[in-house]
Amino acid sequence: MTTIKDVAEFAGVSVATVSRTLNNSGYVGEESRKKVERAIKTLEYYPNEVARSLFQKTSKMIGLLLPDISNPYFPLLAKGVEDCAQEKGYMVILGNVEDNLEKESTYVKFFSQYNVSGVLSASAIQKDAKSSIPFVLLDRAMEKEDYSISTDDLLGGKLAARAIEETKAENVIVMAGPKKVPGANDRLTGNLQVLNHSNINYKIFETNTYQVDKAEKIARNLFETFENFDSVIASNDVFALAVMKEAMRRKYRIPEDLQIIGYDDMPFSRYMFPGLTTIAQPAYEVGYRGAKMLFNLIEKKSITQKKVILKPEFVQRETLR
């Protein structure tokens, strides 16, 4: 493996000159800089980023915390983050915390130890877990002082309930997401504001999770808990599809006997039959714009808007009457 000393010998300069060239710090003559750059290219030298980060107390890496990488919403969000990071010449370190506070704390400490330049989190991170490095929350804004990019989930909840209202639904099951996730509470509030105003009969089914591996069990529990309902407002697309599967297993016709609306608009939702009617969240844009905000913090640029809220959209397909 080529070392910085090899580069210095090949270029006929000192190790210090190579170091200043690599770090763009201190004076390096134009001729010496060209020699170093030529040596780096010829020898295919790649700097040791770990050693550099320890010396400079920073790095070309950012951290990304996700609550459940198996949920199809989050890979789209992560793609937005990575695309923005690549444009800036940064790499992304992924932490899948799975709603585990201990894992979350371990990742935050790891990021700090390896001098990541900033952290993005789509996890409902604890206030005391936030480190002193730049931090941006994705769909999880908790405190007034947080920098965040999120979706208007209150509006999203209203859009879902209005779509159900327009179908003359009579008995609705509202699936409520985890109470510790602000967006889930906002969706539920939006649902209920519309349903209460419309005098539609509804019951709330507490799921308290978005974990993909629990979706089928939760769908079975829904049918075992309630009777005589004709509509379901699901907490996300994964749970909506689990309800569809269980309904079909029980010989329900969709949407004639049971209509369902999801939330997220994951790519596979349009390929199902019948296609899932849902509320679209701009997952990629949340990730990309969140990363862009983080790099502005890292570069100490002025940020005029600490909290950015993006609009969801209603997507009509075939699971509503």
Side-chain angles (χ1 to χ4, degrees):
M1 182 176 178
T2 304
T3 67
I4 192 171
K5 186 176 179 181
D6 296 330
V7 173
E9 290 179 353
F10 189 95
V13 299
S14 68
V15 171
T17 298
V18 177
S19 179
R20 287 195 296 271
T21 302
L22 289 170
N23 297 314
N24 200 26
S25 62
Y27 174 77
V28 179
E30 186 61 28
E31 186 62 32
S32 295
R33 182 179 296 276
K34 288 180 179 179
K35 287 181 180 179
V36 171
E37 290 173 348
R38 189 160 48 246
I40 289 172
K41 185 176 181 179
T42 302
L43 298 176
E44 297 183 343
Y45 172 70
Y46 300 97
N48 186 322
E49 286 297 333
V50 174
R52 178 189 284 189
S53 71
L54 291 172
F55 176 74
Q56 297 183 335
K57 302 300 181 185
T58 187
S59 70
K60 299 291 282 185
M61 299 181 290
I62 60 171
L64 173 61
L65 296 175
L66 299 180
D68 181 12
I69 194 63
S70 64
N71 184 323
Y73 173 80
F74 294 111
L76 280 176
L77 183 150
K79 177 171 171 48
V81 170
E82 186 176 43
D83 284 354
C84 184
Q86 289 282 311
E87 291 171 9
K88 287 286 188 176
Y90 279 70
M91 300 299 290
V92 180
I93 303 176
L94 173 65
N96 183 38
V97 302
E98 298 180 312
D99 291 330
N100 184 311
L101 294 180
E102 187 175 342
K103 287 186 71 174
E104 175 188 282
S105 178
T106 299
Y107 271 115
V108 171
K109 289 177 182 175
F110 174 87
F111 292 157
S112 181
Q113 289 170 348
Y114 281 83
N115 297 307
V116 298
S117 294
V119 175
L120 292 152
S121 178
S123 175
I125 195 163
Q126 300 302 298
K127 187 174 182 179
D128 58 359
K130 297 171 191 171
S131 63
S132 58
I133 60 178
F135 218 104
V136 174
L137 297 179
L138 307 176
D139 264 347
R140 293 291 191 273
M142 304 287 285
E143 308 292 336
K144 289 183 178 180
E145 65 271 17
D146 288 334
Y147 289 90
S148 66
I149 308 284
S150 59
T151 304
D152 188 344
D153 286 305
L154 180 65
L155 174 60
K158 290 179 180 179
L159 291 175
R162 285 172 189 157
I164 289 289
E165 176 189 18
E166 291 173 1
T167 65
K168 310 300 182 186
E170 295 181 359
N171 295 290
V172 179
I173 303 299
V174 180
M175 300 179 75
K179 292 180 179 179
K180 65 182 178 180
V181 177
N185 296 327
D186 289 343
R187 292 180 202 177
L188 179 61
T189 299
N191 293 156
L192 302 190
Q193 284 181 1
V194 173
L195 295 177
N196 287 332
H197 185 265
S198 304
N199 294 316
I200 295 175
N201 293 322
Y202 69 85
K203 293 181 180 178
I204 298 173
F205 181 50
E206 302 278 358
T207 64
N208 293 320
T209 184
Y210 286 142
Q211 293 292 315
V212 172
D213 59 358
K214 294 182 172 61
E216 289 185 287
K217 181 179 179 181
I218 287 172
R220 288 195 299 272
N221 289 344
L222 185 151
F223 283 91
E224 291 166 2
T225 303
F226 302 103
E227 296 180 352
N228 302 320
F229 56 94
D230 64 358
S231 306
V232 174
I233 299 176
S235 50
N236 63 22
D237 283 359
V238 172
F239 282 23
L241 294 178
V243 171
M244 285 176 61
K245 178 182 177 182
E246 183 64 18
M248 291 175 178
R249 192 181 72 82
R250 293 170 182 259
K251 309 303 181 185
Y252 283 78
R253 296 172 302 160
I254 298 174
E256 294 85 357
D257 301 326
L258 179 65
Q259 56 182 357
I260 303 167
I261 187 168
Y263 202 101
D264 285 338
D265 192 28
M266 296 298 92
F268 56 71
S269 299
R270 72 193 68 173
Y271 301 126
M272 304 299 295
F273 184 79
L276 179 65
T277 297
T278 188
I279 303 300
Q281 285 203 87
Y284 178 90
E285 189 177 359
V286 168
Y288 188 93
R289 292 183 63 171
K292 194 171 182 178
M293 179 181 284
L294 181 66
F295 288 121
N296 284 339
L297 287 172
I298 291 169
E299 296 166 8
K300 295 181 169 40
K301 292 181 179 178
S302 174
I303 296 177
T304 56
Q305 191 176 0
K306 292 181 69 172
K307 296 185 182 300
V308 176
I309 300 176
L310 307 178
K311 299 293 185 183
E313 296 180 355
F314 172 69
V315 179
Q316 175 72 59
R317 294 197 181 101
E318 299 148 350
T319 56
L320 295 189
R321 291 190 286 273

